[in-house]
Amino acid sequence: MPAPAKFTEFVDANADKFIQRLADAVAIPSVSGEPNHRQDVVKMAQWLDGQLKSLGVTTKLVDLGKHVMDGEELQLPPAILGRIGDDPKKKTILIYGHFDVQPAYKSDGWDTEPFKLVVDQKTGRLIGRGSTDDKGPILGWLNVLEAHKALGLELPVNLRFCFEGMEESGSEGLDDLIRSETQKGKEGWFAGVDCVCISDNYWLNDRTPCLTYGLRGLTYFKVTVSGPARDLHSGMFGRAVHEPMTDLIALMSKLVTPDGKILVPGVDEMVAPADEEEKKLYSSLDYSIADVEDAVGGKIAISEDKATVLMGRMRNPSLSLHGIEGAFYGAGAKTVIPAKVSGKFSIRLVPPQTPEKVNPLVHKYLESEFAKLNSKNKLEVECLHDGKPWVADFKHWNYEAAIKATQAVYKKQPDLTREGGSIPVTLTFAESLGVNVLLLPMGRGDDGAHSTNEKLDRSNFIEGSKLLGTYLYEAAAIAK
Amino acid sequence: MPAPAKFTEFVDANADKFIQRLADAVAIPSVSGEPNHRQDVVKMAQWLDGQLKSLGVTTKLVDLGKHVMDGEELQLPPAILGRIGDDPKKKTILIYGHFDVQPAYKSDGWDTEPFKLVVDQKTGRLIGRGSTDDKGPILGWLNVLEAHKALGLELPVNLRFCFEGMEESGSEGLDDLIRSETQKGKEGWFAGVDCVCISDNYWLNDRTPCLTYGLRGLTYFKVTVSGPARDLHSGMFGRAVHEPMTDLIALMSKLVTPDGKILVPGVDEMVAPADEEEKKLYSSLDYSIADVEDAVGGKIAISEDKATVLMGRMRNPSLSLHGIEGAFYGAGAKTVIPAKVSGKFSIRLVPPQTPEKVNPLVHKYLESEFAKLNSKNKLEVECLHDGKPWVADFKHWNYEAAIKATQAVYKKQPDLTREGGSIPVTLTFAESLGVNVLLLPMGRGDDGAHSTNEKLDRSNFIEGSKLLGTYLYEAAAIAK
Ligand SMILES: [Zn+2]
Ligand SMILES: [Zn+2]
Ligand SMILES: [Zn+2]
Ligand SMILES: [Zn+2]
């Protein structure tokens, strides 16, 4: 059962209005990882709550309590629970999204102001922080709701919504909320949910839609080396004291090789190597080394072998060094010996890895490597947040509906993929609700989520809104 | 010939007024290394020029032209040349100082606002950026001039002044000015100069004044690794591409060991090891490992051997890693793969090392280590600025005068030391003018120049002002 033609026509006819709403959402700098933007995340929750209410959704802002960030106790932004439709004859689909975004500064290298949506008429790009991650997809659902309300159409399924404002900072408070709502059974907001749909990842390339049935997990570390009570002048104290930066850089250099091998003993080894048959799966995807290099804008693929590159992204763990807190980071030449420096790195995990298994290996390795340095400085290793990897059954009707919807809207067969990123809540939904979870991406592989000049193509926003609506009709029509 | 009693009495009587003038100077955030503060450096030059004029000094603001910083063309702040006295029967002493300061943010860990001088009544500390480096010492000279003007006293020597506003950023433009003035001979501002006095370093400890006859040089490097066209999401591209941070950290880890040995081949080897006799010189200084550890606020001395620690600071080269530009530096957990990262490090040089001899070794080594990484990323190595080391003859009358002045004011024999920091202009004066240069510090070893909570003790400011004046009388009295 495809969606009614007047639904898709309405989406086309209202495209400019929908883009203006996306501009309104992008304009709220809802950066969850920076305390000074916490109120903007709250503002974003209120804005989204207002939109949902005006489209007929019953909502509840849930207080998730407090947490500590950078030594400061902060109120968590509220989660939004929503419901529309209670027909016991219909399927009930739970939609998840996040309305917080990554930090962004023009000085990071953006060509435009990050929190002002720029519509590039020539390329059709909608450029701004959150355009594709994850405000665009959330607004796709608002577009579906608005079309049905305006046209007086009944929704083909009951919908439940769960939107959060802390995804980019470890989804603090959300797991507890999901578990407590699930435990309420029939009284809970997730009662009767048949499946979950999440739009928070991307196509592999810029031409073929995909459905995603696997995600890597993540464990994020902060390694702090401290020694002097204050920053020192390198002329006065260079070669007289143990310098924290020297120790930290030595430790960070022992985590991963330039070709991606993880040096923490036991971490890579936890994952069985792919056999020839599995390698073939990756060789046959509509995604090439040239696609990877186009997406990143440089000829820097880690191997000449397609399967190696794609498995590096999808089915192998990875370790990335993100930066250093506390050291000199500006332009120019400052001759300081920083007193306390914290290296940040993360490991993407794949089954059967879990944070529980990997974290102790990281702690032990860093402590033993630090001991070898014979430094009088102090080491502290913290895991800032973590989440398990996830793999779903892609033969479920939830995936079947999404495949049919993709064929209807894009006239193409979607790629079925595992993805390198982490959306820890996916696993919480799968485990707590015990239902199938589908990742149905809206954006393209070159959107630049978490990066400078993040964008969502106009066509992905508009066709993607049609895809979400059509998926509901296909899910409604299919036998459970 | 000690200074007249009414001079030292005047300094004591006007201490609070002098401290207020220091507060006025600290309030101007004359950070030369940050383009947005360039106008404040100019403002500081104008303020100082006004002070000098009001105290009877003939001055000239010298336009030093333009330079490029962070890709931006900027006007250099003017240098100030000054002269007072033209008696051919008197000696002529040239005074140097710098009125620019290091960057400072409260968020770096300052207990007070960096650009507001805080007078701690309990400890007698005058806390603020530039208090000791180098506004306090410059104002010491203003105090001397003011005392003589107010008391109607004739200065015992002719004075020449050369004050600059780019010392913390490589003294751009100053070498050219000094050389061109020197070449003018009798027509130049430095005609007839018999010796130079610079107050821009510190006592070894917090109890014994010192004179300094040697300084390390400096060569400052920026090592850039770039690859992707933009920052990447580590979930999407981790282990699929060569990451610039991985390469940069690997390179930075190959520069220096945790106990200070420089790994660039040929650099440490250029300096002959100290023999037992030389080691004894360092063992006998009034400075201990406990002093070093008190000054830095941590038990992190690089050795248990006093001579090793002091030679590390004074007569051996050192390499410090300062930080990384372009990587994630904030608090919290950002999962970015930075597109382009620049490591900053510097090497302190001692005779016979020179930038000309050391820089090619650094370039060659980094390029060869990078080649070993087999990365497809790009490497760029730049030297941002450099300066040769310097050693003076401490048996010259210029030093004799300073020793006598120290005995008169502090009732103590000063330590004669070499120092770890770099003041490249020292060497330019020595080479261009061909006269003896004396470093006569005002502040203490724990002042925290270039660090958080920089301070100058009230007693060092006041007794130091007396020391500068007394030195002029002793220099006048001594036979050339
Ligand atoms: Zn997201
Ligand atoms: Zn994200
Ligand atoms: Zn200085
Ligand atoms: Zn300085």
Side-chain angles (χ1 to χ4, degrees):
Chain A
M1 183 174 79
K6 61 181 176 174
F7 162 69
T8 53
E9 286 160 13
F10 183 92
V11 173
D12 280 326
N14 286 273
D16 288 340
K17 188 182 160 191
F18 293 163
I19 290 167
Q20 182 51 51
R21 179 157 55 198
L22 182 58
D24 294 344
V26 166
I28 304 172
S30 51
V31 178
S32 57
E34 298 183 329
N36 62 323
H37 279 303
R38 182 54 52 91
Q39 271 312 111
D40 293 313
V41 189
V42 174
K43 193 175 155 194
M44 184 67 207
Q46 286 159 349
W47 180 91
L48 180 55
D49 185 53
Q51 294 285 328
L52 289 165
K53 280 201 177 89
S54 75
L55 296 169
V57 179
T58 306
T59 64
K60 181 185 169 190
L61 292 185
V62 185
D63 180 348
L64 298 178
K66 294 176 191 293
H67 75 137
V68 174
M69 179 176 270
D70 307 347
E72 192 184 345
E73 189 178 63
L74 292 171
Q75 181 70 38
L76 287 164
I80 304 175
L81 296 177
R83 61 188 303 144
I84 182 167
D86 267 307
D87 186 338
K89 293 189 299 293
K90 291 179 182 170
K91 292 198 182 72
T92 299
I93 298 182
L94 172 61
I95 307 301
Y96 163 88
H98 66 88
F99 51 83
D100 62 320
V101 297
Q102 284 278 325
Y105 299 92
K106 187 137 197 299
S107 61
D108 291 342
W110 283 71
D111 296 329
T112 59
E113 288 300 330
F115 295 105
K116 185 177 178 317
L117 190 79
V118 172
V119 180
D120 186 330
Q121 298 296 352
K122 225 173 90 187
T123 60
R125 292 179 163 195
L126 314 174
I127 302 158
R129 175 56 89 220
S131 56
T132 196
D133 179 21
D134 187 36
K135 291 178 176 177
I138 286 182
L139 268 64
W141 292 110
L142 297 184
N143 300 344
V144 171
L145 291 171
E146 182 167 342
H148 283 76
K149 183 160 190 274
L151 298 168
L153 274 174
E154 202 186 322
L155 286 164
V157 297
N158 306 313
L159 289 177
R160 301 292 177 266
F161 297 96
C162 177
F163 294 133
E164 67 157 322
M166 284 297 288
E167 198 274 341
E168 303 293 6
S169 298
S171 291
E172 291 233 24
L174 193 71
D175 280 8
D176 290 347
L177 170 65
I178 294 170
R179 291 203 187 99
S180 81
E181 283 303 324
T182 310
Q183 281 161 9
K184 287 180 193 164
K186 278 191 202 163
E187 310 302 316
W189 279 76
F190 304 144
V193 164
D194 293 297
C195 68
V196 179
C197 179
I198 299 177
S199 289
D200 190 21
N201 68 311
Y202 312 93
W203 299 354
L204 278 181
N205 49 37
D206 61 0
R207 55 192 175 268
T208 307
C210 75
L211 312 183
T212 303
Y213 66 95
L215 286 171
R216 294 198 282 198
L218 173 76
T219 181
Y220 198 108
F221 283 91
K222 177 179 178 181
V223 190
T224 302
V225 181
S226 57
R230 62 197 76 86
D231 288 357
L232 305 176
H233 186 301
S234 65
M236 294 175 63
F237 296 105
R239 207 162 188 162
V241 299
H242 291 285
E243 302 187 12
M245 267 294 274
T246 305
D247 298 346
L248 179 66
I249 294 287
L251 287 182
M252 291 176 80
S253 77
K254 286 170 182 161
L255 292 167
V256 62
T257 65
D259 62 347
K261 187 175 151 41
I262 298 175
L263 296 172
V264 180
V267 172
D268 265 355
E269 294 80 354
M270 235 174 258
V271 182
D275 57 22
E276 286 311 310
E277 193 186 336
E278 190 181 357
K279 282 184 190 164
K280 258 181 216 157
L281 283 177
Y282 291 94
S283 302
S284 67
L285 285 175
D286 179 15
Y287 198 53
S288 65
I289 288 180
D291 285 324
V292 172
E293 293 187 333
D294 278 358
V296 305
K299 298 210 166 296
I300 56 172
I302 210 147
S303 164
E304 307 300 325
D305 176 57
K306 174 179 169 180
T308 301
V309 173
L310 298 194
M311 289 193 304
R313 169 177 171 156
M314 297 179 190
R315 66 89 68 200
N316 287 331
S318 64
L319 191 156
S320 294
L321 306 173
H322 305 300
I324 296 177
E325 181 182 344
F328 174 50
Y329 60 81
K334 194 174 169 186
T335 55
V336 70
I337 297 175
K340 181 178 179 177
V341 284
S342 300
K344 309 285 179 77
F345 71 92
S346 65
I347 307 178
R348 301 281 169 176
L349 306 174
V350 298
Q353 294 172 327
T354 61
E356 288 67 33
K357 288 191 250 178
V358 168
N359 291 2
L361 299 177
V362 174
H363 279 270
K364 192 181 154 195
Y365 177 65
L366 284 172
E367 280 154 16
S368 103
E369 289 299 315
F370 184 70
K372 288 181 197 167
L373 300 181
N374 277 317
S375 168
K376 291 180 189 158
N377 290 319
K378 285 192 183 60
L379 174 73
E380 188 186 3
V381 181
E382 297 162 85
C383 174
L384 296 189
H385 63 85
D386 58 31
K388 283 193 274 193
W390 161 82
V391 177
D393 171 18
F394 57 79
K395 304 202 167 152
H396 190 273
W397 57 261
N398 195 19
Y399 281 79
E400 204 181 319
I403 291 170
K404 284 188 179 166
T406 306
Q407 289 166 335
V409 173
Y410 284 108
K411 320 292 175 207
K412 272 195 171 181
Q413 186 69 13
D415 271 335
L416 274 164
T417 70
R418 286 168 66 176
E419 193 42 270
S422 309
I423 315 170
V425 72
T426 309
L427 192 82
T428 311
F429 280 126
E431 292 183 342
S432 298
L433 277 65
V435 298
N436 184 275
V437 181
L438 160 74
L439 300 192
L440 182 58
M442 174 180 273
R444 302 182 186 180
D446 64 350
D447 279 359
H450 291 210
S451 166
T452 51
N453 302 322
E454 176 182 344
K455 61 90 180 167
L456 174 65
D457 291 272
R458 180 193 166 100
S459 67
N460 283 56
F461 186 46
I462 301 307
E463 299 308 305
S465 296
K466 294 179 194 169
L467 175 69
L468 298 181
T470 304
Y471 154 71
L472 300 184
Y473 283 91
E474 296 293 353
I478 221 159
K480 276 202 206 179
Chain B
M1 183 174 80
K6 61 179 176 174
F7 162 69
T8 53
E9 286 159 13
F10 184 91
V11 173
D12 281 325
N14 287 273
D16 288 340
K17 187 181 161 192
F18 293 163
I19 290 167
Q20 181 51 50
R21 179 158 54 199
L22 182 57
D24 295 344
V26 166
I28 304 172
S30 52
V31 178
S32 58
E34 297 183 329
N36 62 322
H37 279 302
R38 182 55 52 91
Q39 271 312 112
D40 294 313
V41 189
V42 174
K43 193 175 154 195
M44 184 68 208
Q46 286 159 349
W47 180 92
L48 180 56
D49 184 54
Q51 295 285 328
L52 289 165
K53 280 201 176 90
S54 75
L55 297 170
V57 180
T58 305
T59 65
K60 180 185 168 191
L61 291 185
V62 185
D63 180 348
L64 298 178
K66 294 175 191 294
H67 75 137
V68 174
M69 179 176 271
D70 307 346
E72 192 183 345
E73 189 177 65
L74 293 171
Q75 182 69 39
L76 288 163
I80 303 175
L81 295 177
R83 62 187 304 142
I84 182 167
D86 267 309
D87 186 338
K89 293 189 299 294
K90 291 181 181 169
K91 293 199 183 73
T92 299
I93 299 182
L94 172 61
I95 307 300
Y96 163 88
H98 66 89
F99 52 83
D100 62 321
V101 297
Q102 284 278 323
Y105 299 92
K106 186 136 198 300
S107 61
D108 291 343
W110 283 71
D111 297 327
T112 59
E113 287 301 329
F115 295 105
K116 185 177 177 318
L117 191 79
V118 172
V119 181
D120 186 330
Q121 299 296 353
K122 226 174 90 187
T123 60
R125 292 180 163 193
L126 314 174
I127 303 158
R129 175 56 90 221
S131 56
T132 196
D133 180 21
D134 186 39
K135 291 178 175 176
I138 286 182
L139 269 66
W141 292 110
L142 297 184
N143 300 344
V144 171
L145 291 171
E146 182 167 341
H148 283 76
K149 182 160 190 275
L151 298 168
L153 275 173
E154 203 186 322
L155 285 163
V157 297
N158 306 314
L159 287 177
R160 301 292 177 264
F161 297 96
C162 177
F163 294 133
E164 67 158 322
M166 284 297 288
E167 198 274 340
E168 302 294 6
S169 298
S171 290
E172 292 233 23
L174 192 71
D175 280 8
D176 290 346
L177 169 65
I178 294 169
R179 291 203 186 98
S180 81
E181 283 302 324
T182 310
Q183 282 160 9
K184 287 180 193 164
K186 279 190 201 164
E187 310 301 317
W189 279 76
F190 305 144
V193 163
D194 294 297
C195 67
V196 179
C197 178
I198 299 177
S199 288
D200 190 21
N201 68 314
Y202 312 92
W203 298 355
L204 279 181
N205 49 37
D206 61 0
R207 55 192 175 268
T208 308
C210 75
L211 312 183
T212 303
Y213 65 95
L215 285 171
R216 294 198 282 198
L218 173 75
T219 181
Y220 198 108
F221 282 92
K222 177 179 178 181
V223 190
T224 303
V225 181
S226 58
R230 62 198 74 87
D231 288 357
L232 305 176
H233 185 301
S234 65
M236 294 176 62
F237 295 106
R239 207 161 188 163
V241 300
H242 290 286
E243 302 187 13
M245 266 295 275
T246 306
D247 298 346
L248 178 66
I249 295 287
L251 287 181
M252 291 176 81
S253 77
K254 287 169 179 162
L255 292 167
V256 62
T257 65
D259 63 346
K261 187 174 152 40
I262 298 175
L263 296 172
V264 181
V267 172
D268 265 355
E269 294 80 353
M270 235 174 257
V271 182
D275 57 22
E276 286 311 308
E277 193 185 336
E278 191 181 357
K279 281 183 190 164
K280 258 181 216 155
L281 283 176
Y282 291 94
S283 302
S284 66
L285 284 175
D286 179 16
Y287 198 53
S288 66
I289 288 180
D291 284 324
V292 172
E293 294 186 333
D294 278 358
V296 305
K299 299 210 164 295
I300 56 172
I302 210 147
S303 164
E304 306 300 325
D305 176 59
K306 174 179 170 180
T308 302
V309 173
L310 298 194
M311 289 193 304
R313 169 177 171 157
M314 297 179 190
R315 66 88 69 199
N316 287 331
S318 65
L319 191 155
S320 294
L321 307 173
H322 304 300
I324 296 176
E325 181 182 345
F328 174 49
Y329 59 81
K334 195 174 167 185
T335 55
V336 69
I337 297 175
K340 180 178 180 179
V341 284
S342 300
K344 309 284 179 75
F345 71 92
S346 65
I347 307 179
R348 301 282 169 175
L349 306 174
V350 298
Q353 294 172 325
T354 61
E356 289 66 33
K357 287 192 250 177
V358 168
N359 291 2
L361 299 177
V362 174
H363 279 270
K364 191 181 155 196
Y365 177 65
L366 284 172
E367 278 154 17
S368 104
E369 289 299 315
F370 185 71
K372 289 182 196 166
L373 300 181
N374 278 316
S375 168
K376 291 180 190 159
N377 291 319
K378 285 194 183 60
L379 174 73
E380 188 186 3
V381 181
E382 298 163 85
C383 174
L384 295 189
H385 62 85
D386 58 32
K388 283 192 274 194
W390 160 82
V391 177
D393 170 18
F394 56 79
K395 306 204 166 148
H396 190 274
W397 57 261
N398 195 20
Y399 281 80
E400 203 182 320
I403 291 169
K404 283 187 179 166
T406 305
Q407 289 165 335
V409 173
Y410 284 107
K411 320 294 175 208
K412 273 194 170 180
Q413 186 69 13
D415 272 335
L416 275 163
T417 69
R418 286 169 64 177
E419 192 43 271
S422 308
I423 314 171
V425 72
T426 309
L427 192 83
T428 310
F429 280 126
E431 292 184 342
S432 298
L433 277 66
V435 298
N436 183 275
V437 181
L438 160 74
L439 300 192
L440 182 58
M442 173 179 273
R444 302 183 186 180
D446 64 349
D447 279 358
H450 292 210
S451 167
T452 51
N453 302 323
E454 176 182 346
K455 60 91 180 168
L456 174 65
D457 291 271
R458 181 194 165 101
S459 68
N460 283 55
F461 186 47
I462 301 308
E463 300 307 305
S465 296
K466 295 179 194 170
L467 175 69
L468 298 180
T470 305
Y471 154 73
L472 300 183
Y473 283 92
E474 296 292 353
I478 221 160
K480 277 203 208 183

